[in-house]
Amino acid sequence: ALLHAAGTKTEFRGRGVQHALAAERIKIARDAGCDLICSQADPKNFASLRNLQRLGFKVALSRVCMEAPGVSG
């Protein structure tokens, strides 16, 4: 299972919303028989990284995103 594309609106941050939603998604995946659950977070998003670590995730790999000159995203 891949936990992907989750976010918390600014006014709801710091209330455990992301953690609770991820925990429920993990439960659903395990109940469905998934034995591998992955997620990703921007390396600068310390709150998301901390939440994932609290849920038992460990860093498996890191990647570098590169941008071509003159391109903004």
Side-chain angles (χ1 to χ4, degrees):
L2 174 61
L3 304 186
H4 180 67
T8 305
K9 290 182 75 169
T10 305
E11 61 266 27
F12 296 104
R13 291 182 183 159
R15 300 183 191 181
V17 174
Q18 182 190 41
H19 183 92
L21 290 172
E24 182 62 21
R25 293 166 76 192
I26 291 167
K27 180 185 179 309
I28 291 167
R30 287 191 174 138
D31 289 349
C34 291
D35 59 357
L36 177 64
I37 303 171
C38 301
S39 188
Q40 61 188 27
D42 185 315
K44 297 178 208 161
N45 189 338
F46 300 114
S48 288
L49 294 170
R50 186 177 56 247
N51 276 330
L52 291 170
Q53 289 173 334
R54 288 178 180 163
L55 288 163
F57 286 89
K58 296 187 181 345
V59 175
L61 60 96
S62 62
R63 64 182 175 157
V64 175
C65 295
M66 301 178 78
E67 186 176 277
V71 177
S72 62

